[in-house]
Amino acid sequence: MSSRRQFISAAAALVGSAGLLAGCNKKEEAVVSASNSQEKINWKLVTSWPANFPGLGTSANRIAELITQLSGGRLTVKVFAAGELVGALEVFDAVSAGTAQMGHSGAYYWKGKSRAAQFFSSVPFGLTAQEMNAWLYYGDGMALWEEVYKPFGLIPNAGGNSGTQMGGWFNKEINSVADFKGLKMRMPGLGGEVIQRLGAIPVNLPGGEIFSALQSGAIDATEWVGPYNDLAFGLYKAAKNYYAPGWHEPGTVMECMISEKAFNALPADLQAIVKGAIRMVNHDMIAEFTMRNQKALHDLEKQHGVKVKFFPEEVMRELKKVSEAVLDEEAAKDPLSAKVWASQKAFRDSVTPWTDMAEGAIIRSRSSLIRPNARQCSSRSSCRVNGQPASCNAR
């Protein structure tokens, strides 16, 4: 409970600052009037996750809890897990229609609503969590996301980031590109388009259906998130080959959408609380995943006998090549997608030299000290072990 209280205290400071900024351009008397309002408001928040699911579902819970507590109960938010009010893949429609005022999900589920939506989740070989936040908050990202969701009466927000994910669970080894042929794999979004080009059959399933599908043989492989969430789902019981890296989702954004109508009806101080709480949780999630993933990975390997492998270099080269083609082709299908991808691609290409020079370089150097036999790869050199050229499968 102490960590939760610290989280609330930190959020209060952040939201207090957000409230101050929100009021800067408004008349003082309007802000005072809004702050004094004692109207009790009840909101519903629907999610695409099972109830209290670690990291994803619990982050939705934190958003609701923060809003409720920071507003002093003036705005109470109740969370509904997938299937409790609407289905996991019905969140977008529910918030757009006003069935709920908020929704926590992943934007890549809504390709059928707008092709451009999927670019705000994660793209193959795209931005990391830190880079994604930079593009959203200090680049064109949020303005473009708002433009995409505006016709649906929705206000998008980054509601968490899982960081770089794992490449997935497979019931057979992936030794070459040919091993994707005929493979039925749960992989939504743009990653699914890529593996389809390699002969796989992408399947879009909500999280709650993944384990049973993999265990029964309805699918041959699946990606979900990473060690923390994959351990919680027990995916190691259905497949033992666990591959890295998560080329398809290098920094996956969870979204927290808000009904524009409901948001605009709030007084200014509650609007600031809602926005500030979501932003706080967005930054908190990557910290939690960084902490939890390393322990879960250890448990998967040491306690459950999971074989952690790296995709062969040949496979990674082909995935990257096909990914670039898929992204350009998807973007060309409508003007808004083209606009979003052009912005994100330009930011990726401009930020990569700095990321590689700064974090990339120190991580590679640090790894050589802590794990001298670990696989080391960079955009500037081939894979090496102990300074010598090696296969990308070396660990």
Side-chain angles (χ1 to χ4, degrees), residues 2-70:
S2 61
S3 61
R4 178 58 60 87
R5 285 194 294 270
Q6 290 170 359
F7 183 77
I8 296 292
S9 297
L14 176 70
V15 174
S17 298
L20 180 62
L21 291 173
C24 284
N25 296 321
K26 298 181 182 293
K27 292 182 178 180
E28 183 178 352
E29 57 269 25
V31 176
V32 172
S33 175
S35 299
N36 290 335
S37 173
Q38 294 302 312
E39 179 185 2
K40 304 296 183 181
I41 303 168
N42 297 304
W43 274 14
K44 300 182 183 74
L45 192 166
V46 292
T47 83
S48 293
W49 327 120
N52 301 313
F53 186 67
L56 308 183
T58 53
S59 288
N61 293 347
R62 286 175 190 162
I63 290 172
E65 180 180 319
L66 280 171
I67 293 171
T68 300
Q69 292 193 16
L70 293 171

Side-chain angles (χ1 to χ4, degrees), residues 118-378:
Q118 57 194 328
F119 290 94
F120 296 98
S121 182
S122 189
V123 304
F125 296 94
L127 303 177
T128 64
Q130 184 160 305
E131 291 169 341
M132 194 70 169
N133 279 334
W135 177 65
L136 288 172
Y137 294 138
Y138 291 97
D140 301 328
M142 282 309 309
L144 289 169
W145 202 354
E146 289 167 358
E147 183 178 350
V148 172
Y149 277 26
K150 181 72 174 178
F152 303 96
L154 297 172
I155 299 173
N157 296 271
N161 199 304
S162 66
T164 303
Q165 300 196 359
M166 286 290 283
W169 298 84
F170 296 78
N171 61 12
K172 68 175 184 179
E173 292 187 350
I174 301 297
N175 296 312
S176 70
V177 175
D179 290 323
F180 279 94
K181 189 173 180 61
L183 190 79
K184 291 178 292 183
M185 183 172 185
R186 186 270 179 188
M187 182 175 280
L190 292 160
E193 295 286 340
V194 173
I195 63 170
Q196 188 170 32
R197 300 288 180 92
L198 300 185
I201 304 167
V203 179
N204 191 11
L205 291 174
E209 299 177 20
I210 293 175
F211 177 79
S212 59
L214 186 61
Q215 187 179 51
S216 69
I219 56 176
D220 306 308
T222 184
E223 63 79 41
W224 177 223
V225 184
Y228 178 34
N229 289 141
D230 295 0
L231 177 63
F233 262 10
L235 297 179
Y236 62 89
K237 299 175 184 177
K240 289 295 183 182
N241 297 298
Y242 198 26
Y243 276 86
W247 57 272
H248 60 301
E249 296 188 40
T252 309
V253 177
M254 305 301 147
E255 66 177 356
C256 188
M257 64 185 81
I258 311 169
S259 161
E260 183 178 24
K261 181 179 179 181
F263 184 78
N264 289 342
L266 294 177
D269 65 326
L270 290 186
Q271 289 181 348
I273 285 173
V274 170
K275 286 276 194 172
I278 295 171
R279 188 156 175 168
M280 179 68 180
V281 172
N282 180 51
H283 290 293
D284 181 69
M285 183 188 284
I286 185 62
E288 180 182 8
F289 270 75
T290 301
M291 177 64 187
R292 309 293 188 195
N293 275 330
Q294 51 89 20
K295 183 182 185 303
L297 179 61
H298 176 274
D299 292 347
L300 285 169
E301 291 186 285
K302 303 304 180 182
Q303 295 182 17
H304 303 295
V306 171
K307 299 174 183 177
V308 180
K309 305 176 181 180
F310 291 91
F311 290 115
E313 189 172 0
E314 168 208 345
V315 171
M316 290 297 290
R317 282 199 305 266
E318 188 65 17
L319 286 169
K320 185 176 181 181
K321 176 184 175 182
V322 175
S323 292
E324 288 298 297
V326 165
L327 288 165
D328 288 341
E329 289 174 22
E330 281 292 309
K333 290 179 180 178
D334 72 272
L336 197 48
S337 292
K339 185 177 179 181
V340 172
W341 175 230
S343 173
Q344 192 177 121
K345 185 177 183 180
F347 183 82
R348 181 197 66 180
D349 295 348
S350 68
V351 80
T352 294
W354 166 245
T355 302
D356 189 49
M357 181 186 301
E359 289 191 344
I362 194 62
I363 289 171
R364 289 189 296 274
S365 296
R366 186 181 68 185
S367 295
S368 68
L369 295 172
I370 299 172
R371 301 175 65 220
N373 294 319
R375 166 185 176 268
Q376 298 174 43
C377 292
S378 79

